[in-house]
Amino acid sequence: MEKVMIMMGSKSDMDIMKKAQDFLNEYNIESEIIVASAHRNPERVHEIAKKVEASYDVVIAGAGMAAHLAGVMASLVTKPVIGVPINASLDGLDSLLSVSQMPPGIPVATVAINGSKNAAILALE
């Protein structure tokens, strides 16, 4: 593996998602962190998807509440997408369901609520 795109829907998710980058850095895996909301910045997410398709191997996408970022990325790229549900409300259960319940043809690997380190381990594997 060469590069991992780490995305989050809000800057408030940075403390959680930074753990993924910290783990990848320990193994000298290049990564980039980007904040882009599937709801507030859909055009930007589409542009990032083009960048992922051309230059990245895996996407780790974290989001809270409706948590559509991982599913949107999975619908736009052919690379593996790992979703990290973020505890922003309802103890993160809303996010967990949004990330894990993808329709057929839009696979998203899902880790535990706030489990960005596990997402990084999965990406490394």
Side-chain angles (χ1 to χ4, degrees), residues 5-11 13 17 33-49 52 59-77 79-86 94-95 98-100 102 106-109:
M5 173 65 72
I6 301 170
M7 301 179 71
M8 66 199 79
S10 172
K11 287 181 185 178
D13 303 331
M17 297 306 292
I33 292 182
I34 290 182
V35 177
S37 167
H39 299 107
R40 292 183 295 272
N41 314 103
E43 297 87 10
R44 183 161 188 253
V45 170
H46 282 252
E47 289 303 313
I48 293 166
V52 165
V59 176
I60 297 173
M65 297 165 56
H68 288 112
L69 185 57
V72 168
M73 286 304 292
S75 75
L76 297 172
V77 302
K79 309 298 171 111
V81 176
I82 304 166
V84 179
I86 305 287
D94 51 343
S95 302
S98 293
V99 174
S100 65
M102 291 291 102
I106 311 295
V108 173

Side-chain angles (χ1 to χ4, degrees), residues 97-117:
L97 292 172
S98 293
V99 174
S100 65
Q101 295 296 315
M102 291 291 102
I106 311 295
V108 173
T110 308
V111 296
I113 296 167
N114 295 345
S116 68
K117 182 176 179 182

